Amino acid sequence: MRLHEYQAKEVFADAGIPTPDAQLAETVEAAVDAAESIGYPVAIKAQVHVGGRGKAGGIKLAESESEARAAAESILGMDLKGYRVSRVLVEEAVDFVDELYVGVTMDRGEGRPVAMVSTRGGVNIEEVAHEDPDAIAREHVDPAFGMHPFQARKAVYEAGVDRDVAGDVASILQTLYQLWDERDGSDAEINPLMITSAERDAAGSAGDDVRAERGVIAADAVFNVDDDALFRQPELAAMEEAASEGDALEAKADEYGFDYVRLSGNVGIIGNGAGLVMTTLDLVDHYGGSPANFLDVGGGAKAQRIANALDMVFSDENVDSVVFNIFGGITRGDEVANGINQALEQFDEIPKEVVVRLAGTNAEEGMAILNEDLVTVEDTLEDAVKRAVEYAQEVNA
Amino acid sequence: MSVLVDEDTRVVVQGITGGEGKFHAEQMLEYGTNVVAGAVPGKGGQAVAGVPVYDTVQGAVREEDADASVVFVPPAFAADAIFEALDADGLDLVVAITEGIPTQDMSRVYRKLAETDTHLVGPNCPGVITPGEAKLGILPGDIFSDGNVGLVSRSGTLTYQVVDNLTQRGIGQTTAIGIGGDPIIGTDFVDALELFEADPETEAVVMCGEIGGEDEEEAARYIGERMDTPVVGFIAGRTAPPGKRMGHAGAIVSGSGTGTAESKIAALEANGVPVGDTPEDVADHVADLL
């Protein structure tokens, strides 16, 4: 689960990582009021789960009320890579002299966390990693001990961070690791971590303290939470918002809790287990068809879940036929058959041809239950896929 | 011969009183697996399907001489259950079936694993089976047949599919190992390939991978440099769109684009491993080798 920038910044700020003054706004008026109270210049930033917001026009600077109004008007309601923008973060535009990258993630190859620091901040860090891997200092962390302070310092000095702010950056990296660890992060990133000029004026906040020295401030914030750990992160789980801004079908998949990816073809695909579903996609392609989606019902799916899966795929207008491929291990064929019957018996006329292939645990029991008036049954994966591809071709013939 | 498990393997089922634990303990017994104990905190003294239950894994090891464990414990408690199994003296093998264990928990388990001699298979895996002798996990036993091909796979259901194709063609298996699809797992491709390479009965190995990560590329290098036993590959996800479900974390860490199907297939083929286009095709390649 991804937090929005404003949510991640709240979490970071609570932990003591400096963040710019900012307010969330849902209307143009609220955005202008926020800009006035923060003081110009401000950055107005779309709050959607999309990378590259700046380039896509989702982040604008404003130096005056009229600019703030114009920026908020152009961003609020805009379509940003398929996501409608309903909120903006109005934020103090920080006067900076340099930008850094700091991040913590799981190195799956090593099986342990890795903390990263780079002086190449403010740009796409994946590109840096690809083109110049040495530009990122990496420090692996023993999960049993956590990050030692020396490790944070080591990463910061190895990255070549300016000595004036090295201590601040090391402390932020350590805090970021602790947050990542305690809050079950999958990725925690600050990019850019801005090095501010001396005498940064924390305008807008009471007291107006003027810094005499250079400092650092998190100008962006990314925090992704391990979905498997949400059960023990109730505060973060509560930050999850309905995915109403995105694809309606993907939102529905979220509701049902399916791993679902919408694709461009017309053969709907439902199966159990990511590897087998991907293989089914590959076979549809192999036999001349085009997959409409990837839908994994997961392990041990019960009848209702199977019915939900069919409902999902039927909801996609592009789908002309459906191949239902279940190889039971922990999933049981009788449950699957009951779910298929349950989903299809409610129709006077089945909206799309459904081809079913059931194998593995309780497949025989399932075949005995399955209402064969409603579906086409095939014994092998290959035959099921071929048949579904044929049906889809007939619809378009 | 076989690797990891055989008819003498004495199995303790952690979580045997739960729905899945009970169902699959019964299935394992029916298959002929030597299930000697269950372990569930607070349920010691009960019996499930005629199998005595102990409060601790150590108790099951001490009283029943168990040497392998299968974990059917819900995700919130599964890492603790694996730690308990790794801590018990005498277990050579722990098979963790549980799906959805938090990654950070597995990171700690992985660190502990480095201090032990125990093999961990999984988590989020279908388990290990030596056809006709023992199955530890949830694999549907009746699709397997006894023979001389080893199989290792990241995906459970894909394992079943490929085995089904092998068995239909009359090709039996020494042992099949589902290593699981999670980001952090115990036994990986290379570990499994090493086991098969050392097994005199295994005459060929099928390795089923999928997009994401770089484990297949690493396995390909191992095969090219160290293996004499021939391997046939299969990679799922050729048509998966790029950028979906591939967190950028891996890309940063690896310093390159994460493993696409093309890069994995190319790495395997460069190391002399034929890669099937379909599961049927995999069986054809294996038949050619034998």
Side-chain angles (χ1 to χ4, degrees), chain B residues 245-289:
Chain B
R245 292 239 167 242
M246 284 195 213
H248 65 179
I252 292 182
V253 171
S254 66
S256 67
T258 39
T260 58
E262 295 77 47
S263 76
K264 290 173 191 295
I265 291 166
L268 287 166
E269 289 179 343
N271 284 284
V273 178
V275 179
D277 286 336
T278 67
E280 248 183 346
D281 201 19
V282 169
D284 288 342
H285 280 296
V286 175
D288 289 345
L289 285 172

mmCIF file of all heavy atoms in Angstrom, chain B residues 245-289:
data_model
loop_
_atom_site.group_PDB
_atom_site.id
_atom_site.type_symbol
_atom_site.label_atom_id
_atom_site.label_comp_id
_atom_site.label_asym_id
_atom_site.label_seq_id
_atom_site.Cartn_x
_atom_site.Cartn_y
_atom_site.Cartn_z
ATOM 1 N N ARG B 245 3.584 -4.475 -10.967
ATOM 2 C CA ARG B 245 3.920 -5.296 -9.807
ATOM 3 C C ARG B 245 5.414 -5.535 -9.656
ATOM 4 O O ARG B 245 5.827 -6.503 -9.092
ATOM 5 C CB ARG B 245 3.220 -6.662 -9.879
ATOM 6 C CG ARG B 245 1.755 -6.562 -9.715
ATOM 7 C CD ARG B 245 1.248 -7.363 -8.526
ATOM 8 N NE ARG B 245 -0.120 -6.958 -8.282
ATOM 9 C CZ ARG B 245 -0.529 -6.383 -7.165
ATOM 10 N NH1 ARG B 245 0.313 -6.198 -6.180
ATOM 11 N NH2 ARG B 245 -1.767 -6.013 -7.026
ATOM 12 N N MET B 246 6.205 -4.693 -10.234
ATOM 13 C CA MET B 246 7.633 -4.811 -9.989
ATOM 14 C C MET B 246 8.028 -3.560 -9.241
ATOM 15 O O MET B 246 8.252 -2.532 -9.864
ATOM 16 C CB MET B 246 8.398 -4.861 -11.297
ATOM 17 C CG MET B 246 8.328 -6.167 -12.003
ATOM 18 S SD MET B 246 9.610 -6.209 -13.252
ATOM 19 C CE MET B 246 8.811 -7.185 -14.483
ATOM 20 N N GLY B 247 8.070 -3.640 -7.929
ATOM 21 C CA GLY B 247 8.460 -2.489 -7.140
ATOM 22 C C GLY B 247 9.813 -1.983 -7.607
ATOM 23 O O GLY B 247 10.643 -2.779 -8.030
ATOM 24 N N HIS B 248 10.024 -0.675 -7.567
ATOM 25 C CA HIS B 248 11.292 -0.156 -8.073
ATOM 26 C C HIS B 248 12.452 -0.438 -7.123
ATOM 27 O O HIS B 248 13.589 -0.237 -7.465
ATOM 28 C CB HIS B 248 11.196 1.346 -8.383
ATOM 29 C CG HIS B 248 10.964 2.201 -7.185
ATOM 30 N ND1 HIS B 248 10.863 3.564 -7.265
ATOM 31 C CD2 HIS B 248 10.796 1.889 -5.891
ATOM 32 C CE1 HIS B 248 10.649 4.043 -6.052
ATOM 33 N NE2 HIS B 248 10.602 3.053 -5.221
ATOM 34 N N ALA B 249 12.135 -0.935 -5.931
ATOM 35 C CA ALA B 249 13.198 -1.245 -4.975
ATOM 36 C C ALA B 249 14.232 -2.180 -5.577
ATOM 37 O O ALA B 249 15.423 -1.945 -5.486
ATOM 38 C CB ALA B 249 12.605 -1.882 -3.726
ATOM 39 N N GLY B 250 13.751 -3.238 -6.217
ATOM 40 C CA GLY B 250 14.671 -4.206 -6.799
ATOM 41 C C GLY B 250 15.560 -3.566 -7.848
ATOM 42 O O GLY B 250 16.746 -3.835 -7.930
ATOM 43 N N ALA B 251 14.958 -2.684 -8.648
ATOM 44 C CA ALA B 251 15.718 -2.035 -9.713
ATOM 45 C C ALA B 251 16.842 -1.190 -9.142
ATOM 46 O O ALA B 251 17.942 -1.178 -9.662
ATOM 47 C CB ALA B 251 14.789 -1.169 -10.565
ATOM 48 N N ILE B 252 16.567 -0.480 -8.067
ATOM 49 C CA ILE B 252 17.607 0.350 -7.448
ATOM 50 C C ILE B 252 18.730 -0.526 -6.909
ATOM 51 O O ILE B 252 19.898 -0.297 -7.173
ATOM 52 C CB ILE B 252 17.029 1.187 -6.281
ATOM 53 C CG1 ILE B 252 16.085 2.232 -6.827
ATOM 54 C CG2 ILE B 252 18.148 1.849 -5.496
ATOM 55 C CD1 ILE B 252 15.496 3.126 -5.777
ATOM 56 N N VAL B 253 18.326 -1.562 -6.201
ATOM 57 C CA VAL B 253 19.326 -2.402 -5.563
ATOM 58 C C VAL B 253 20.191 -3.119 -6.588
ATOM 59 O O VAL B 253 21.404 -3.167 -6.465
ATOM 60 C CB VAL B 253 18.643 -3.429 -4.631
ATOM 61 C CG1 VAL B 253 19.645 -4.440 -4.135
ATOM 62 C CG2 VAL B 253 17.995 -2.701 -3.473
ATOM 63 N N SER B 254 19.575 -3.624 -7.627
ATOM 64 C CA SER B 254 20.335 -4.412 -8.584
ATOM 65 C C SER B 254 21.136 -3.526 -9.530
ATOM 66 O O SER B 254 22.067 -3.970 -10.159
ATOM 67 C CB SER B 254 19.397 -5.289 -9.404
ATOM 68 O OG SER B 254 18.563 -4.473 -10.199
ATOM 69 N N GLY B 255 20.727 -2.240 -9.628
ATOM 70 C CA GLY B 255 21.423 -1.364 -10.554
ATOM 71 C C GLY B 255 21.116 -1.687 -11.996
ATOM 72 O O GLY B 255 21.874 -1.362 -12.894
ATOM 73 N N SER B 256 19.997 -2.356 -12.252
ATOM 74 C CA SER B 256 19.609 -2.653 -13.633
ATOM 75 C C SER B 256 18.116 -2.896 -13.667
ATOM 76 O O SER B 256 17.469 -2.988 -12.650
ATOM 77 C CB SER B 256 20.341 -3.886 -14.134
ATOM 78 O OG SER B 256 19.902 -5.012 -13.427
ATOM 79 N N GLY B 257 17.577 -3.013 -14.866
ATOM 80 C CA GLY B 257 16.161 -3.331 -14.978
ATOM 81 C C GLY B 257 15.948 -4.720 -14.408
ATOM 82 O O GLY B 257 16.748 -5.609 -14.644
ATOM 83 N N THR B 258 14.868 -4.938 -13.660
ATOM 84 C CA THR B 258 14.656 -6.262 -13.067
ATOM 85 C C THR B 258 14.326 -7.281 -14.129
ATOM 86 O O THR B 258 13.946 -6.945 -15.235
ATOM 87 C CB THR B 258 13.506 -6.249 -12.045
ATOM 88 O OG1 THR B 258 12.485 -5.415 -12.535
ATOM 89 C CG2 THR B 258 14.004 -5.804 -10.701
ATOM 90 N N GLY B 259 14.445 -8.535 -13.734
ATOM 91 C CA GLY B 259 14.370 -9.646 -14.665
ATOM 92 C C GLY B 259 13.107 -9.748 -15.480
ATOM 93 O O GLY B 259 12.045 -10.058 -14.960
ATOM 94 N N THR B 260 13.229 -9.535 -16.748
ATOM 95 C CA THR B 260 12.115 -9.778 -17.654
ATOM 96 C C THR B 260 12.175 -11.236 -18.084
ATOM 97 O O THR B 260 13.197 -11.906 -17.906
ATOM 98 C CB THR B 260 12.246 -8.911 -18.910
ATOM 99 O OG1 THR B 260 13.502 -9.223 -19.535
ATOM 100 C CG2 THR B 260 12.227 -7.431 -18.573
ATOM 101 N N ALA B 261 11.078 -11.705 -18.680
ATOM 102 C CA ALA B 261 11.071 -13.077 -19.189
ATOM 103 C C ALA B 261 12.187 -13.245 -20.221
ATOM 104 O O ALA B 261 12.901 -14.248 -20.214
ATOM 105 C CB ALA B 261 9.707 -13.399 -19.803
ATOM 106 N N GLU B 262 12.340 -12.232 -21.084
ATOM 107 C CA GLU B 262 13.367 -12.334 -22.146
ATOM 108 C C GLU B 262 14.760 -12.505 -21.549
ATOM 109 O O GLU B 262 15.543 -13.329 -21.996
ATOM 110 C CB GLU B 262 13.381 -11.079 -23.038
ATOM 111 C CG GLU B 262 12.120 -10.857 -23.854
ATOM 112 C CD GLU B 262 10.978 -10.310 -23.018
ATOM 113 O OE1 GLU B 262 11.213 -9.349 -22.248
ATOM 114 O OE2 GLU B 262 9.872 -10.853 -23.090
ATOM 115 N N SER B 263 15.084 -11.694 -20.509
ATOM 116 C CA SER B 263 16.434 -11.771 -19.954
ATOM 117 C C SER B 263 16.667 -13.113 -19.268
ATOM 118 O O SER B 263 17.761 -13.671 -19.329
ATOM 119 C CB SER B 263 16.691 -10.607 -18.988
ATOM 120 O OG SER B 263 16.057 -10.818 -17.751
ATOM 121 N N LYS B 264 15.611 -13.650 -18.660
ATOM 122 C CA LYS B 264 15.765 -14.938 -17.987
ATOM 123 C C LYS B 264 15.926 -16.062 -19.007
ATOM 124 O O LYS B 264 16.767 -16.956 -18.850
ATOM 125 C CB LYS B 264 14.550 -15.190 -17.079
ATOM 126 C CG LYS B 264 14.523 -14.252 -15.867
ATOM 127 C CD LYS B 264 13.254 -14.398 -15.079
ATOM 128 C CE LYS B 264 13.096 -13.293 -14.051
ATOM 129 N NZ LYS B 264 14.099 -13.284 -12.999
ATOM 130 N N ILE B 265 15.107 -16.008 -20.054
ATOM 131 C CA ILE B 265 15.192 -17.045 -21.092
ATOM 132 C C ILE B 265 16.566 -16.985 -21.763
ATOM 133 O O ILE B 265 17.218 -18.008 -21.968
ATOM 134 C CB ILE B 265 14.049 -16.872 -22.123
ATOM 135 C CG1 ILE B 265 12.707 -17.199 -21.460
ATOM 136 C CG2 ILE B 265 14.273 -17.756 -23.353
ATOM 137 C CD1 ILE B 265 11.484 -16.766 -22.244
ATOM 138 N N ALA B 266 17.016 -15.761 -22.049
ATOM 139 C CA ALA B 266 18.318 -15.602 -22.693
ATOM 140 C C ALA B 266 19.432 -16.141 -21.796
ATOM 141 O O ALA B 266 20.347 -16.833 -22.267
ATOM 142 C CB ALA B 266 18.564 -14.131 -23.021
ATOM 143 N N ALA B 267 19.357 -15.853 -20.500
ATOM 144 C CA ALA B 267 20.388 -16.327 -19.573
ATOM 145 C C ALA B 267 20.405 -17.849 -19.514
ATOM 146 O O ALA B 267 21.467 -18.475 -19.506
ATOM 147 C CB ALA B 267 20.153 -15.748 -18.180
ATOM 148 N N LEU B 268 19.226 -18.458 -19.497
ATOM 149 C CA LEU B 268 19.157 -19.922 -19.448
ATOM 150 C C LEU B 268 19.713 -20.525 -20.735
ATOM 151 O O LEU B 268 20.552 -21.428 -20.692
ATOM 152 C CB LEU B 268 17.709 -20.376 -19.206
ATOM 153 C CG LEU B 268 17.187 -20.150 -17.785
ATOM 154 C CD1 LEU B 268 15.676 -20.301 -17.723
ATOM 155 C CD2 LEU B 268 17.849 -21.114 -16.795
ATOM 156 N N GLU B 269 19.258 -19.984 -21.862
ATOM 157 C CA GLU B 269 19.706 -20.550 -23.141
ATOM 158 C C GLU B 269 21.210 -20.374 -23.342
ATOM 159 O O GLU B 269 21.876 -21.255 -23.874
ATOM 160 C CB GLU B 269 18.900 -19.948 -24.300
ATOM 161 C CG GLU B 269 17.461 -20.482 -24.289
ATOM 162 C CD GLU B 269 16.565 -19.928 -25.391
ATOM 163 O OE1 GLU B 269 16.916 -18.892 -26.000
ATOM 164 O OE2 GLU B 269 15.510 -20.546 -25.625
ATOM 165 N N ALA B 270 21.729 -19.246 -22.860
ATOM 166 C CA ALA B 270 23.168 -18.998 -22.989
ATOM 167 C C ALA B 270 23.977 -20.019 -22.186
ATOM 168 O O ALA B 270 25.156 -20.227 -22.443
ATOM 169 C CB ALA B 270 23.501 -17.581 -22.526
ATOM 170 N N ASN B 271 23.318 -20.636 -21.191
ATOM 171 C CA ASN B 271 24.013 -21.631 -20.381
ATOM 172 C C ASN B 271 23.576 -23.050 -20.723
ATOM 173 O O ASN B 271 23.671 -23.962 -19.903
ATOM 174 C CB ASN B 271 23.803 -21.327 -18.898
ATOM 175 C CG ASN B 271 24.664 -20.160 -18.450
ATOM 176 O OD1 ASN B 271 25.868 -20.295 -18.258
ATOM 177 N ND2 ASN B 271 24.051 -18.988 -18.331
ATOM 178 N N GLY B 272 23.064 -23.202 -21.940
ATOM 179 C CA GLY B 272 22.765 -24.536 -22.439
ATOM 180 C C GLY B 272 21.457 -25.125 -21.960
ATOM 181 O O GLY B 272 21.250 -26.339 -22.047
ATOM 182 N N VAL B 273 20.562 -24.289 -21.435
ATOM 183 C CA VAL B 273 19.288 -24.793 -20.929
ATOM 184 C C VAL B 273 18.182 -24.513 -21.947
ATOM 185 O O VAL B 273 17.874 -23.352 -22.205
ATOM 186 C CB VAL B 273 18.922 -24.106 -19.590
ATOM 187 C CG1 VAL B 273 17.565 -24.582 -19.079
ATOM 188 C CG2 VAL B 273 20.009 -24.344 -18.556
ATOM 189 N N PRO B 274 17.603 -25.562 -22.543
ATOM 190 C CA PRO B 274 16.461 -25.299 -23.436
ATOM 191 C C PRO B 274 15.263 -24.818 -22.619
ATOM 192 O O PRO B 274 15.030 -25.288 -21.510
ATOM 193 C CB PRO B 274 16.178 -26.670 -24.067
ATOM 194 C CG PRO B 274 16.810 -27.681 -23.170
ATOM 195 C CD PRO B 274 17.923 -26.995 -22.428
ATOM 196 N N VAL B 275 14.538 -23.835 -23.166
ATOM 197 C CA VAL B 275 13.390 -23.276 -22.450
ATOM 198 C C VAL B 275 12.126 -23.560 -23.250
ATOM 199 O O VAL B 275 12.033 -23.209 -24.435
ATOM 200 C CB VAL B 275 13.566 -21.752 -22.264
ATOM 201 C CG1 VAL B 275 12.360 -21.154 -21.540
ATOM 202 C CG2 VAL B 275 14.843 -21.460 -21.481
ATOM 203 N N GLY B 276 11.162 -24.221 -22.618
ATOM 204 C CA GLY B 276 9.916 -24.551 -23.301
ATOM 205 C C GLY B 276 9.018 -23.330 -23.463
ATOM 206 O O GLY B 276 9.013 -22.453 -22.616
ATOM 207 N N ASP B 277 8.263 -23.301 -24.575
ATOM 208 C CA ASP B 277 7.309 -22.217 -24.781
ATOM 209 C C ASP B 277 6.026 -22.453 -23.995
ATOM 210 O O ASP B 277 5.324 -21.508 -23.635
ATOM 211 C CB ASP B 277 6.929 -22.119 -26.271
ATOM 212 C CG ASP B 277 8.056 -21.519 -27.090
ATOM 213 O OD1 ASP B 277 8.879 -20.789 -26.512
ATOM 214 O OD2 ASP B 277 8.114 -21.795 -28.307
ATOM 215 N N THR B 278 5.693 -23.717 -23.789
ATOM 216 C CA THR B 278 4.482 -24.079 -23.049
ATOM 217 C C THR B 278 4.861 -25.227 -22.112
ATOM 218 O O THR B 278 5.891 -25.875 -22.313
ATOM 219 C CB THR B 278 3.378 -24.584 -23.998
ATOM 220 O OG1 THR B 278 3.802 -25.834 -24.568
ATOM 221 C CG2 THR B 278 3.102 -23.593 -25.133
ATOM 222 N N PRO B 279 4.020 -25.513 -21.122
ATOM 223 C CA PRO B 279 4.315 -26.662 -20.256
ATOM 224 C C PRO B 279 4.430 -27.967 -21.045
ATOM 225 O O PRO B 279 5.271 -28.809 -20.732
ATOM 226 C CB PRO B 279 3.117 -26.680 -19.299
ATOM 227 C CG PRO B 279 2.696 -25.243 -19.202
ATOM 228 C CD PRO B 279 2.891 -24.695 -20.593
ATOM 229 N N GLU B 280 3.596 -28.114 -22.088
ATOM 230 C CA GLU B 280 3.689 -29.303 -22.954
ATOM 231 C C GLU B 280 5.069 -29.401 -23.606
ATOM 232 O O GLU B 280 5.667 -30.462 -23.700
ATOM 233 C CB GLU B 280 2.652 -29.173 -24.077
ATOM 234 C CG GLU B 280 1.526 -30.157 -23.993
ATOM 235 C CD GLU B 280 0.575 -30.024 -25.171
ATOM 236 O OE1 GLU B 280 0.624 -29.011 -25.913
ATOM 237 O OE2 GLU B 280 -0.234 -30.941 -25.333
ATOM 238 N N ASP B 281 5.522 -28.247 -24.056
ATOM 239 C CA ASP B 281 6.809 -28.139 -24.720
ATOM 240 C C ASP B 281 7.953 -28.525 -23.761
ATOM 241 O O ASP B 281 8.946 -29.145 -24.168
ATOM 242 C CB ASP B 281 6.945 -26.661 -25.151
ATOM 243 C CG ASP B 281 7.943 -26.470 -26.256
ATOM 244 O OD1 ASP B 281 8.256 -27.466 -26.924
ATOM 245 O OD2 ASP B 281 8.403 -25.328 -26.436
ATOM 246 N N VAL B 282 7.805 -28.172 -22.492
ATOM 247 C CA VAL B 282 8.796 -28.540 -21.477
ATOM 248 C C VAL B 282 8.908 -30.062 -21.416
ATOM 249 O O VAL B 282 10.006 -30.629 -21.421
ATOM 250 C CB VAL B 282 8.413 -27.970 -20.091
ATOM 251 C CG1 VAL B 282 9.284 -28.576 -18.994
ATOM 252 C CG2 VAL B 282 8.527 -26.453 -20.095
ATOM 253 N N ALA B 283 7.754 -30.728 -21.391
ATOM 254 C CA ALA B 283 7.746 -32.191 -21.332
ATOM 255 C C ALA B 283 8.433 -32.778 -22.572
ATOM 256 O O ALA B 283 9.163 -33.766 -22.469
ATOM 257 C CB ALA B 283 6.312 -32.705 -21.194
ATOM 258 N N ASP B 284 8.212 -32.142 -23.726
ATOM 259 C CA ASP B 284 8.883 -32.612 -24.956
ATOM 260 C C ASP B 284 10.400 -32.525 -24.815
ATOM 261 O O ASP B 284 11.114 -33.457 -25.169
ATOM 262 C CB ASP B 284 8.466 -31.741 -26.160
ATOM 263 C CG ASP B 284 7.026 -32.003 -26.578
ATOM 264 O OD1 ASP B 284 6.491 -33.062 -26.180
ATOM 265 O OD2 ASP B 284 6.459 -31.149 -27.278
ATOM 266 N N HIS B 285 10.870 -31.387 -24.316
ATOM 267 C CA HIS B 285 12.317 -31.212 -24.144
ATOM 268 C C HIS B 285 12.887 -32.265 -23.191
ATOM 269 O O HIS B 285 13.959 -32.807 -23.429
ATOM 270 C CB HIS B 285 12.622 -29.816 -23.590
ATOM 271 C CG HIS B 285 12.596 -28.727 -24.623
ATOM 272 N ND1 HIS B 285 13.481 -28.678 -25.673
ATOM 273 C CD2 HIS B 285 11.793 -27.650 -24.751
ATOM 274 C CE1 HIS B 285 13.229 -27.609 -26.413
ATOM 275 N NE2 HIS B 285 12.194 -26.957 -25.871
ATOM 276 N N VAL B 286 12.172 -32.526 -22.101
ATOM 277 C CA VAL B 286 12.652 -33.497 -21.122
ATOM 278 C C VAL B 286 12.693 -34.877 -21.769
ATOM 279 O O VAL B 286 13.671 -35.619 -21.625
ATOM 280 C CB VAL B 286 11.779 -33.510 -19.853
ATOM 281 C CG1 VAL B 286 12.226 -34.611 -18.899
ATOM 282 C CG2 VAL B 286 11.834 -32.148 -19.153
ATOM 283 N N ALA B 287 11.650 -35.201 -22.518
ATOM 284 C CA ALA B 287 11.607 -36.510 -23.189
ATOM 285 C C ALA B 287 12.809 -36.668 -24.130
ATOM 286 O O ALA B 287 13.399 -37.742 -24.220
ATOM 287 C CB ALA B 287 10.296 -36.653 -23.957
ATOM 288 N N ASP B 288 13.179 -35.586 -24.811
ATOM 289 C CA ASP B 288 14.340 -35.620 -25.713
ATOM 290 C C ASP B 288 15.629 -35.919 -24.957
ATOM 291 O O ASP B 288 16.537 -36.558 -25.499
ATOM 292 C CB ASP B 288 14.507 -34.277 -26.432
ATOM 293 C CG ASP B 288 13.409 -34.048 -27.464
ATOM 294 O OD1 ASP B 288 12.716 -35.041 -27.799
ATOM 295 O OD2 ASP B 288 13.237 -32.901 -27.910
ATOM 296 N N LEU B 289 15.721 -35.423 -23.734
ATOM 297 C CA LEU B 289 16.953 -35.579 -22.952
ATOM 298 C C LEU B 289 17.125 -36.979 -22.389
ATOM 299 O O LEU B 289 18.242 -37.435 -22.173
ATOM 300 C CB LEU B 289 16.952 -34.593 -21.772
ATOM 301 C CG LEU B 289 17.216 -33.124 -22.085
ATOM 302 C CD1 LEU B 289 16.984 -32.285 -20.834
ATOM 303 C CD2 LEU B 289 18.644 -32.945 -22.565
#
